Amino acid sequence: MKFARERVAGWRRSVVCGIALAAVAGSLTACSPEPPGPESATAALAAALTSGDFSEVPFAGGEADVAAATAARTAAYEGLAPWEPAVKVVSTTVEGEEKDTAEVTLGYTWDVNASDADWTYETHARFARDEEDLWHATWSPSLLAPDLVDGEILTVQRLRAERANVLGAGGAVIVEPRTVHRLGIDKTQVAAPEQDAAARTLAGMLGIDPDTYAGSVTAAGEKAFVEAITIRDGDPAYDVRALAALPGVHDVVDTLPLAPSRRFARPILGSVGVATAEIIEKSDGAVVAGDLTGLSGLQRQYDAQLRGLPGLTVTASQPDGVAPRQLFSVDPTPGTPLTTTLDVRLQDAAESVLSTVTPASAVVAIRPSTGEVLAAASGTGGEGMSTATLGQFAPGSTFKVVSALALLRSGLTADSDTTCPATVSVDGRSFTNFPEYPTDKLGTVPLRTAFAYSCNTAFISARDTADQKALIAAAGSLGLDPKATLGFPGFLGDVPGDSDGTDHAASMIGQGRVLASPLGMATVAASVARGATVVPRLVLPAEETATPAPAPAVPLTAAEGATLHELMRGVVAEGGATFLQDVPGEEVAAKTGTAQFGPADNLQNHVWMVAIQGDLAVAVFVDVGEYGSTTAGPLLEQFLVAAQG
């Protein structure tokens, strides 16, 4: 502890005073310098109470007080971790005839949650100035919290806030508390020698690893309940009553935030469960052990909004809990609902369409007039991945919507002649049409015919008319922006900028290194239907903002959209999707797509279809199939029929 400045200041005052007296010898006037103030000492105390380092505080009891203060602060505040106070000097009143004592008010602020409801209070410190003009603080536990005495500690009790629901279009409730059954071994209900067998029997019935579960049961306390599985009430895959009747098995009825069904947009919505150690560590005290939090998907991304703020009560008491005193209390703040654009009926329809599809698959539906994502379903073949919004696949001939826009911007019209040979060679690589391409549509054909029948060679033959930069600009105009900010995890598409030769030729037909997601291709169809670039929206902000989505470098015009719509209508009227002519409702416009992938001796097909019907744009994708029209087509038709209600 160094307070040389105060000593030097006192010495200088004495010298100055002596010189002054000598200069006015014979005078009755005497020098009365102002004594030093306690500002440096009070600031050191405030800083120490904030940081916990009292080594620079001038305590009256010296090192003994430093040790006592350090120990008392550590013990008193341990139960409030990871919170730390911010302490400042509020006021200082110097007292006494010699102005050698001071009363200091210290202001505390604890940032206890994300709201403005900080915990604030004041404590008071006593300071005294010694003969050397140094100020010393008197240590007391009451410096830490109001009326705190030796041995008292502070603890916090939390009351969980009500987690908010996830809503869909029109305010429909999607995720809300639903009844679940937590099944596991209750070690108080089965004798110790039989616990291992009971655990293995339950694990076998549930299809989980028996060694792992039995080990967990053995390692748990002698009165523990060791959960094996959580099952939603009414799940037809499990006979809860029969499982609960097994030896040692206990059924704990509880609630969890769940969607209407296990499959309902699960990869997007995510799940809720007990917070993991990683989540707790990254939360800076907002989440503690035992809290329910979002574990994945939107539930994780928007967890802070959904979970709200817990109620908090801070008490001071002896370590054994005797004579608690309440120092602070705040009620829980319920979470704020997360509003999505998902239409419950259409999402259910999309999930049903994919229910029997084995490979990874997706159905995405967008309302072109608003960009709202009405459905985004991913089949079980994706193994939990949101194929609909995160999949990255070659879009095949559905990308010809983009290529056609680039060609139109180069000066072609729907009636402009194109060359559609049986094969075309680029730098030694041959490109062909799909095997069933009609021979009477080869040769010189209008762009509308090449589009309707999906002539690969026509688009590749026109590659010099639309370079890679033109394709990138057209893709951006139709919503395939690789850098789009969506407000949810999503990928739209990406067109490489360094393609030429065979790679550029492949880009013209949506292969090579061109990538898109089902969400991205639904956005392309939606942009055509709207006649303007669409940015998909799946999550609506809790508070609407006026910030518009960034415009593409080259916006899509209404005239361009109309021409592309006309080309897509030709696919249904005469081309590869005539099976959609009898879909009820407004006329359908569409585009088929097939993209080969894999080794040359084992080529497989990504299959696609995109469609427009009124104010609805849809993309259907199956990872491995025959052709867009034969594999994705029937799925698209089923969805469009279901969408009509």
Side-chain angles (χ1 to χ4, degrees):
M1 296 178 290
K2 299 177 181 179
F3 291 90
R5 286 186 300 175
E6 284 87 345
R7 288 192 177 95
V8 170
W11 176 81
R12 286 175 176 170
R13 280 193 300 276
S14 298
V15 172
V16 171
C17 184
I19 295 173
L21 288 174
V24 293
S27 170
L28 297 177
T29 303
C31 182
S32 300
E34 282 291 321
E39 289 77 15
S40 177
T42 59
L45 177 60
L49 291 168
T50 297
S51 68
D53 180 3
F54 291 89
S55 60
E56 296 296 319
V57 179
F59 280 123
E63 295 298 332
D65 278 356
V66 169
T70 301
R73 184 188 185 281
T74 299
Y77 292 168
E78 184 177 11
L80 303 183
W83 301 344
E84 291 289 347
V87 187
K88 65 179 182 180
V89 176
V90 176
S91 64
T92 301
T93 303
V94 178
E95 303 168 335
E97 289 186 12
E98 302 296 326
K99 296 185 178 181
D100 55 2
T101 62
E103 172 83 13
V104 178
T105 300
L106 300 165
Y108 277 74
T109 300
W110 296 78
D111 186 4
V112 296
N113 58 31
S115 75
D116 295 330
D118 293 335
W119 176 28
T120 62
Y121 58 82
E122 293 181 347
T123 64
H124 302 279
R126 298 292 302 176
F127 283 78
R129 180 167 53 86
D130 63 15
E131 294 178 352
E132 296 182 353
D133 283 349
L134 297 178
W135 288 89
H136 298 280
T138 300
W139 163 248
S140 169
S142 63
L143 294 176
L144 301 172
D147 302 320
L148 200 72
V149 299
D150 281 332
E152 278 193 313
I153 59 175
L154 305 181
T155 56
V156 59
Q157 290 79 43
R158 296 163 56 93
L159 179 61
R160 184 186 300 170
E162 180 180 353
R163 190 175 184 86
N165 296 332
V166 178
L167 309 178
V173 176
I174 293 178
V175 178
E176 63 180 337
R178 302 179 194 269
T179 302
V180 296
H181 300 267
R182 299 183 183 276
L183 293 175
I185 297 297
D186 184 343
K187 296 180 71 170
T188 67
Q189 295 186 8
V190 60
E194 302 169 5
Q195 290 171 359
D196 182 78
R200 293 178 181 276
T201 298
L202 177 59
M205 295 289 288
L206 295 174
I208 63 177
D209 183 84
D211 291 336
T212 300
Y213 182 61
S216 298
V217 171
T218 299
E222 62 180 18
K223 296 183 179 181
F225 168 72
V226 185
E227 183 177 325
I229 194 172
T230 300
I231 302 171
R232 71 166 61 224
D233 191 43
D235 189 332
Y238 300 94
D239 186 341
V240 173
R241 182 175 296 180
L243 291 168
L246 295 173
V249 175
H250 185 47
D251 174 14
V252 178
V253 180
D254 199 357
T255 62
L256 271 181
L258 296 173
S261 67
R262 180 177 179 80
R263 71 185 186 186
F264 190 100
R266 183 177 178 85
I268 292 176
L269 296 175
S271 62
V272 177
V274 177
T276 64
E278 181 182 7
I279 290 174
I280 293 170
E281 182 180 355
K282 291 182 177 180
S283 73
D284 293 327
V287 177
V288 299
D291 280 358
L292 284 181
T293 65
L295 301 178
S296 60
L298 295 180
Q299 290 282 4
R300 180 82 198 105
Q301 181 179 355
Y302 291 92
D303 183 63
Q305 172 182 329
L306 288 163
R307 74 169 181 262
L309 300 172
L312 302 171
T313 300
V314 179
T315 58
S317 65
Q318 293 299 320
D320 58 6
V322 172
R325 297 183 293 111
Q326 180 174 307
L327 300 181
F328 173 75
S329 180
V330 61
D331 293 331
T333 301
T336 300
L338 177 67
T339 301
T340 73
T341 60
L342 294 176
D343 182 292
V344 172
R345 186 179 66 83
L346 291 182
Q347 181 69 30
D348 271 335
E351 304 279 7
S352 296
V353 164
L354 299 177
S355 62
T356 60
V357 179
T358 302
S361 56
V363 174
V364 177
I366 294 177
R367 179 177 287 126
S369 60
T370 62
E372 294 171 348
V373 178
L374 305 178
S378 299
T380 57
E383 299 180 347
M385 173 187 170
S386 181
T387 306
T389 58
L390 294 172
Q392 299 187 23
F393 309 95
S397 291
T398 58
F399 190 75
K400 287 174 183 169
V401 179
V402 175
S403 302
L405 176 59
L407 293 174
L408 292 172
R409 287 177 171 175
S410 74
L412 272 65
T413 69
D415 294 315
S416 295
D417 284 341
T418 63
T419 302
C420 178
T423 64
V424 62
S425 179
V426 180
D427 295 341
R429 176 182 171 185
S430 291
F431 292 87
T432 63
N433 298 311
F434 69 94
E436 282 77 22
Y437 188 86
T439 57
D440 63 338
K441 304 303 178 185
L442 293 172
T444 300
V445 297
L447 177 61
R448 67 171 70 252
T449 301
F451 189 94
Y453 291 91
S454 203
C455 180
N456 289 339
T457 59
F459 279 82
I460 292 172
S461 295
R463 64 190 181 280
D464 292 337
T465 307
D467 62 14
Q468 201 71 7
K469 289 183 178 179
L471 285 184
I472 293 172
S477 300
L478 289 164
L480 290 184
D481 180 358
K483 299 179 181 180
T485 301
L486 302 176
F488 62 96
F491 169 81
L492 295 177
D494 190 23
V495 181
D498 58 349
S499 294
D500 55 17
T502 58
D503 201 34
H504 174 57
S507 295
M508 293 293 293
I509 58 173
Q511 298 197 51
R513 291 184 290 145
V514 175
L515 294 173
S517 69
L519 173 68
M521 294 315 299
T523 300
V524 168
S527 296
V528 171
R530 185 174 177 178
T533 308
V534 167
V535 177
R537 298 203 309 165
L538 176 62
V539 176
L540 302 182
E543 296 182 2
E544 287 288 350
T545 63
T547 304
V554 184
L556 183 70
T557 67
E560 290 171 337
T563 301
L564 292 173
H565 194 289
E566 178 186 346
L567 292 176
M568 291 178 66
R569 177 57 189 163
V571 177
V572 177
E574 61 168 311
T578 55
F579 60 90
L580 295 175
Q581 290 178 3
D582 59 354
V583 171
E586 298 182 56
E587 288 185 343
V588 178
K591 184 69 191 80
T592 59
T594 303
Q596 292 184 321
F597 71 99
D601 60 350
N602 186 30
L603 286 174
Q604 295 178 296
N605 293 334
H606 297 315
V607 295
W608 296 80
M609 277 207 73
V610 296
I612 301 164
Q613 186 178 31
D615 198 17
L616 185 69
V618 183
V620 176
F621 167 79
V622 180
D623 187 28
V624 179
E626 186 182 32
Y627 300 116
S629 59
T630 58
T631 300
L635 303 177
L636 171 64
E637 185 175 14
Q638 290 177 44
F639 180 78
L640 291 177
V641 170
Q644 294 298 318

